[in-house]
Amino acid sequence: MVYAAVLGYGTVGSGVVEVLEKNSARIAEKVGEDIKVKYVLDLRDFLGDPIQDRVVHDFEVILNDPEVKIICETMGGNEPAYTFSKKALLAGKSVCTSNKELVANHGPELLRLARENKCNYMFEASVGGGIPIIRPLNSSLTAEELDTITGILNGTTNYILTRMAREGADFEDVLKEAQAKGYAEKDPTADVEGYDACRKIAILSSLMTGKTVDYREIYTEGISKITAEDFAYAAAMNRSIKLLAMSKVVEDGCFAMVAPFMIPSENPLYGVNDVFNAVFVHGNMVDNTMYYGRGAGKLPTASAVVSDVIDCARHIGKTVICRWSEEKQPLLDISVTKRRFFVRMSAGAENESKAIEVFGGVSVIEVPQIKGEFAFVTDEMSEKEFAEKLAKLDGVITRIRLED
Ligand code: HSE
């Protein structure tokens, strides 16, 4: 018997107990012995719940029980999750987490503590919910020189953008409805401003480079300024708008960014809709690979945590190598990256001739129902060159990057 404990009996924590109990027979076959949740740590009592006898309020009870070998940290946030995870690892207990904030902030340190104490720190559920992406990067793709990761890593924003694309609705209206249905948080800032996707691409980029990519240094733009008109133009170009998190290794280093992009219908991420996530990974031998599934939700996320529990149970007393050092991975300035850009500006002969003079060859985009605007797509140029040219124009309404 392998004993585990769950820290935090919220959506994911209760899902972990459910997955471990519903699939116990199959899991036991895969591990070679049973896995049992011995304790659940929470401030609440959960009277009447089947786990009520296992609820404890003091983390030390778990820490001091030598039978507990694996701890599922499903609390979220930095503290007390960080302190509990550190104490557990120092005591030689493996930690499996869904906590992207903690992994992005302290992942390499916690991995080092796991190595030093012959246990594991695993975080499959921290990116892409139920989608296997950490294990592919850390195991299946280890023969590769990876150079590109591009993903839709946030379910809330993908749901909002999908509804806007399908219904021609405005951002604020869809957000309000998503909040009412529980798809978006009361304070949606972390999702809609791209911070959540930023932490997730920082984790994936760190695994790609083997060094620490600091999420605070990643250029991040959210979707709160995207409008129904932007989607009408995108549709006229046979494109949609997606919040992409991307990271690319080049000769001199690594770029990473999060921003809304107009992507064409041929792009495999175009068809990733609603709360689904997808991650595209390119390696020098395998070429393109893609991972798709539910990026959030109780059972998908819990399933990812339990996959880590199983991996830890298979490696008691041994650390599974994870290439992510505490050394910093410097990020290159995205201003040198090149792409095409979509621009909307107020109509008027002067504005239009100035735009053509400044940008040279532009492809004009027309949407019959939108009046009083001049919209176009530029040729490929660097972010820096684009920003300098755009600054010369009056009446700019918005600009959105294009990705092919
Ligand atoms: N708020 C996150 C999302 C939850 O919408 O994707 C999963 O990390």
Side-chain angles (χ1 to χ4, degrees):
M1 179 78 75
V2 178
Y3 287 101
V6 175
L7 311 186
Y9 198 60
T11 306
V12 181
S14 59
V16 167
V17 174
E18 188 175 333
V19 172
L20 279 169
E21 293 188 349
K22 270 202 179 140
N23 288 354
S24 61
R26 286 278 170 274
I27 291 171
E29 281 169 20
K30 288 164 192 164
V31 176
E33 48 189 322
D34 289 324
I35 299 180
K36 187 171 169 21
V37 175
K38 188 166 179 181
Y39 302 107
V40 170
L41 179 81
D42 205 285
L43 294 170
R44 299 160 290 180
D45 287 317
F46 299 103
L47 297 177
D49 190 294
I51 55 102
Q52 74 172 33
D53 295 338
R54 292 176 268 170
V55 173
V56 292
H57 304 303
D58 181 2
F59 177 64
E60 298 297 314
V61 175
I62 297 170
L63 193 64
N64 294 327
D65 185 335
E67 275 193 333
V68 174
K69 302 285 187 227
I70 303 167
I71 291 181
C72 304
E73 184 273 292
T74 51
M75 312 176 84
N78 262 307
E79 283 295 356
Y82 176 50
T83 303
F84 290 172
S85 300
K86 261 201 327 199
K87 284 186 173 180
L89 295 168
L90 287 166
K93 298 179 194 297
S94 291
V95 175
C96 308
T97 187
S98 55
N99 188 339
K100 59 220 160 184
E101 196 178 337
L102 191 59
V103 177
N105 274 314
H106 299 287
E109 180 201 355
L110 296 170
L111 282 165
R112 175 173 53 75
L113 291 181
R115 274 195 308 279
E116 288 169 0
N117 293 281
K118 297 193 170 44
C119 54
N120 285 286
Y121 184 62
M122 294 195 178
F123 44 92
E124 181 60 71
S126 66
V127 181
I131 307 175
I133 181 60
I134 304 296
R135 200 159 277 106
L137 291 178
N138 201 31
S139 172
S140 326
L141 295 172
T142 40
E144 291 296 311
E145 196 71 65
L146 300 176
D147 55 45
T148 309
I149 299 178
T150 307
I152 293 173
L153 298 179
N154 183 270
T156 306
T157 47
N158 205 39
Y159 172 81
I160 293 172
L161 293 175
T162 303
R163 295 279 311 272
M164 289 176 77
R166 282 184 187 148
E167 296 159 27
D170 267 317
F171 171 79
E172 288 298 340
D173 295 339
V174 180
L175 174 62
K176 272 191 204 123
E177 211 185 304
Q179 284 171 312
K181 285 187 173 162
Y183 291 158
E185 305 273 350
K186 262 197 210 128
D187 177 0
T189 316
D191 290 318
V192 301
E193 296 308 339
Y195 309 145
D196 175 79
C198 169
R199 286 187 173 87
K200 291 169 176 168
I201 195 69
I203 295 169
L204 299 184
S205 308
S206 299
L207 292 172
M208 174 161 72
T209 61
K211 296 181 185 165
T212 297
V213 171
D214 186 340
Y215 68 88
R216 286 163 288 227
E217 293 176 7
I218 296 178
Y219 176 86
T220 300
E221 221 178 89
I223 63 160
S224 55
K225 295 194 183 78
I226 301 293
T227 64
E229 288 75 21
D230 296 331
F231 271 102
Y233 283 111
M237 291 185 263
N238 202 19
R239 287 175 179 263
S240 192
I241 303 171
K242 296 287 185 190
L243 183 69
L244 299 186
M246 48 174 66
S247 161
K248 197 166 177 55
V249 173
V250 293
E251 219 174 295
D252 318 336
C254 179
F255 294 106
M257 70 186 290
V258 175
F261 281 82
M262 285 184 165
I263 62 171
S265 58
E266 308 83 57
N267 187 312
L269 295 174
Y270 180 94
V272 177
N273 286 317
D274 299 310
V275 293
F276 283 86
N277 283 193
V279 192
F280 167 94
V281 180
H282 181 265
N284 65 339
M285 298 291 145
V286 71
D287 200 17
N288 295 329
T289 64
M290 198 163 143
Y291 310 84
Y292 169 83
R294 292 193 179 274
K298 176 176 171 168
L299 293 177
T301 309
S303 170
V305 176
V306 173
S307 76
D308 284 346
V309 172
I310 292 170
D311 211 359
C312 290
R314 285 169 165 174
H315 295 94
I316 302 277
K318 207 172 157 204
T319 307
V320 177
I321 293 173
C322 177
R323 181 175 159 265
W324 179 357
S325 80
E326 283 165 280
E327 188 185 336
K328 197 170 166 183
Q329 170 65 57
L331 288 181
L332 300 169
D333 189 337
I334 65 153
S335 67
V336 299
T337 57
K338 289 187 172 176
R339 51 183 54 89
R340 292 187 294 153
F341 297 83
F342 165 74
V343 179
R344 279 171 62 199
M345 55 193 296
S346 314
E350 212 174 293
N351 282 354
E352 292 172 25
S353 59
K354 186 78 194 267
I356 291 163
E357 180 198 319
V358 168
F359 279 102
V362 296
S363 313
V364 176
I365 312 296
E366 283 176 351
V367 172
Q369 66 269 29
I370 300 178
K371 311 281 182 215
E373 288 191 11
F374 177 61
F376 61 91
V377 170
T378 70
D379 284 342
E380 188 176 279
M381 64 187 68
S382 71
E383 291 265 348
K384 184 168 183 283
E385 186 184 349
F386 173 74
E388 284 165 2
K389 288 185 166 166
L390 197 70
K392 292 181 184 160
L393 304 186
D394 291 324
V396 173
I397 299 167
T398 194
R399 56 95 182 98
I400 301 174
R401 297 171 175 87
L402 263 68
E403 172 78 1
D404 289 324

